[in-house]
Amino acid sequence: RSLLRAGGITGVDLRIMVPMVSGLAEIRAAKSVMNQVRDALQDEGKLVPEKVQFGIMIEVPSAALLADKLAKEVDFFSIGTNDLTQYTLAVDRTNSKVAHLADPLNPAVLRLIKTTIDAAHAENKWVGLCGELAGEPLAAPILLGLGLDEFSMSPALIPEIKHVMRKLHKKECAEFALRVLDKTDNQE
C-alpha cells in the first residue's frame, strides 16, 4: 500500500519485487494482492502509478527451472546468488564447516543463472543479479557472457567492476561463458 501510494505521489518508475518465489501460484497471489490494494486506493481517491514493474527474486532452484513459465507473468527477474547457491548446492553458507563449498561459480549454479537469463530474454524481460557474485571481478566476464542485464552490488565495488568491464568484449565473454558452463566443478 505504501509503495503504491508513494509511487502515485512521486511518479517514480516503481518496481515491486517479491522474494523467495518458488512457483507460479505465488506470483499470481502477490499480483492479486497488489491489484486489490491498487483498486482500494483508487476507490479512496488516492493517486496510484499508471504502471508498476512487478518482478521476483530467483533464489531457489525451482524458480530458475520454471523461469520460462514465470517470465510470462513478471516484468523482471533479480537473481539472488547467495541463496540460489546455498539451495542449489545444499550448503549452509553460515556454517563455517561447509561454507567453503558454497561457490556461486559452481557450474550448476551458473547453469541455473543462464537458464533464468535465457527465459527472461525470450519474453523480452530484463534480469538483474544481486549477491556477492555481482561484485566479483572474476565473475564479470562470465555474467556478461551469460547475458546479464544489471549488476547490483555494494557501491564500494562499483569502480573495480567498471574497470574490469571496460576491458571486456561481449563476444569473447559469451564464448568464455559457454566454456565455463561445460565444466563439471569449481576447480575446472
Side-chain angles (χ1 to χ4, degrees):
R1 182 175 171 89
S2 296
L3 289 170
L4 290 171
R5 286 207 56 203
I9 294 167
T10 62
V12 298
D13 177 17
L14 183 60
R15 300 172 187 189
I16 296 178
M17 182 170 58
V18 179
M20 286 294 168
V21 171
S22 63
L24 192 56
E26 294 166 346
I27 292 172
R28 290 181 175 158
K31 285 172 75 174
S32 175
V33 168
M34 183 180 73
N35 290 330
Q36 288 172 19
V37 170
R38 176 190 288 228
D39 292 346
L41 286 169
Q42 286 177 324
D43 290 347
E44 296 170 20
K46 306 284 189 208
L47 291 174
V48 294
E50 286 184 35
K51 170 99 171 84
V52 174
Q53 287 193 54
F54 181 87
I56 62 168
M57 293 286 298
I58 303 289
E59 300 170 286
V60 295
S62 61
L65 293 169
L66 293 171
D68 60 327
K69 306 296 185 202
L70 304 182
K72 296 175 187 325
E73 299 283 330
V74 300
D75 298 307
F76 67 92
F77 289 144
S78 181
I79 303 170
T81 56
N82 294 348
D83 286 326
L84 184 62
T85 300
Q86 176 171 295
Y87 298 130
T88 300
L89 301 177
V91 174
D92 180 357
R93 68 181 188 268
T94 65
N95 181 332
S96 62
K97 293 179 182 178
V98 295
H100 66 282
L101 299 172
D103 184 353
L105 290 175
N106 181 292
V109 176
L110 293 174
R111 285 179 179 213
L112 290 175
I113 292 171
K114 172 83 168 128
T115 296
T116 301
I117 292 169
D118 288 349
H121 288 174
E123 295 295 327
N124 296 310
K125 310 294 171 73
W126 62 273
V127 183
L129 184 138
C130 60
E132 294 172 19
L133 189 62
E136 173 55 54
L138 292 175
I142 298 168
L143 296 172
L144 285 173
L146 295 176
L148 186 66
D149 301 304
E150 180 182 277
F151 291 66
S152 177
M153 68 194 74
S154 159
L157 299 173
I158 293 172
E160 183 177 7
I161 296 299
K162 278 180 140 180
H163 178 73
V164 168
M165 286 187 183
R166 285 184 178 124
K167 296 178 180 179
L168 300 174
H169 299 282
K170 190 172 183 171
K171 183 180 177 192
E172 291 171 2
C173 289
E175 292 168 0
F176 178 62
L178 287 176
R179 289 196 309 273
V180 170
L181 290 175
D182 195 41
K183 304 302 178 192
T184 59
D185 63 31
N186 309 19
Q187 299 309 310
E188 282 189 80

